[in-house]
Amino acid sequence: DAKTTQPTSMDCAEGRAANLPCNHSTISGNEYVYWYRQIHSQGPQYIIHGLKNNETNEMASLIITEDRKSSTLILPHATLRDTAVYYCIVRFDYKLSFGAGTTVTVRA
Amino acid sequence: DAGVTQSPTHLIKTRGQQVTLRCSPKSGHDTVSWYQQALGQGPQFIFQYYEEEERQRGNFPDRFSGHQFPNYSSELNVNALLLGDSALYLCASSLAAHTEAFFGQGTRLTVV
């Protein structure tokens, strides 16, 4: 599986957009980019995934660069409940390989 | 629609004992994966079950074993418990590869 690199932590103001970067320079053509988040003491929650095209759902948008070597998860209007660890995962086979993730703190 | 349910929520065991954790997948899902999450770390893949067979396995010793039943529910068994097995054990279910996996709330296992 391709390795991902994320910032260790970041802060965001409530009501503003949160842009979470992820580098995956060794990604292969058939590997998907997945994003999950984990709120303290809960199981990980699926956010979004994509292969080549940008994706949007009710939670977030996923922007994947044309060369697919990096991506950005966008939370359009962050709330205090979005405080969590966010994991960017490159997935080829059946398993999800979690790294350390980015600890996002949304401040009032 | 019930999501992924795990039992028990908390468990305390003694070194050397054996433990069984249980998971019921989300309705309509046929694939169950198990993960171990040590404190302060991301979840680590243990194995995945599909059609009652272990389809893929992570880097865990044979002390970790599992089973999937015809109704798609699953069990994780750990033998000869070590202090280092203390962790949050997560179950995730999905319908097929390259679809989103839904996680349960986990079982917190403490080995003393």
Side-chain angles (χ1 to χ4, degrees), chain B:
Chain B
D1 175 27
V4 179
T5 58
Q6 293 186 242
S7 62
T9 54
H10 296 82
L11 201 53
I12 299 175
K13 288 288 190 178
T14 303
R15 272 183 303 174
Q17 286 189 316
Q18 179 264 345
V19 68
T20 297
L21 311 182
R22 295 175 175 82
C23 172
S24 292
K26 182 178 170 63
S27 177
H29 287 184
D30 59 5
T31 300
V32 173
S33 303
W34 287 92
Y35 291 79
Q36 178 195 67
Q37 186 172 24
L39 204 59
Q41 299 182 20
Q44 299 300 304
F45 176 77
I46 303 175
F47 42 55
Q48 183 180 86
Y49 277 83
Y50 172 70
E51 292 189 342
E52 303 180 50
E53 296 286 333
E54 183 182 291
R55 178 158 66 180
Q56 188 174 8
R57 187 179 184 92
N59 188 26
F60 279 80
D62 291 344
R63 297 187 298 109
F64 290 77
S65 63
H67 188 77
Q68 185 179 35
F69 299 93
N71 67 352
Y72 308 119
S73 66
S74 177
E75 288 181 349
L76 164 66
N77 300 294
V78 186
N79 294 323
L81 284 167
L82 305 173
L83 294 179
D85 294 331
S86 295
L88 180 67
Y89 288 84
L90 295 159
C91 171
S93 73
S94 58
L95 184 54
H98 297 307
T99 63
E100 58 268 36
F102 290 83
F103 283 80
Q105 293 304 297
T107 294
R108 173 71 62 185
L109 173 65
T110 302
V111 182
V112 297

Side-chain angles (χ1 to χ4, degrees), chain A residues 29-89:
Chain A
N30 53 358
E31 289 181 314
Y32 285 73
V33 179
Y34 277 74
W35 283 84
Y36 279 79
R37 73 180 183 183
Q38 189 171 25
I39 298 170
H40 184 61
S41 297
Q42 297 183 20
Q45 177 188 23
Y46 167 80
I47 301 173
I48 199 167
H49 75 283
L51 182 62
K52 296 180 183 178
N53 300 321
N54 299 335
E55 303 287 343
T56 295
N57 63 21
E58 64 280 2
M59 288 184 66
S61 295
L62 173 61
I63 309 298
I64 303 174
T65 58
E66 192 170 345
D67 64 7
R68 304 210 322 124
K69 292 183 184 301
S70 66
S71 60
T72 301
L73 178 74
I74 301 173
L75 306 177
H77 304 287
T79 71
L80 298 179
R81 288 178 294 182
D82 292 322
T83 292
V85 178
Y86 287 75
Y87 297 99
C88 170
I89 300 164

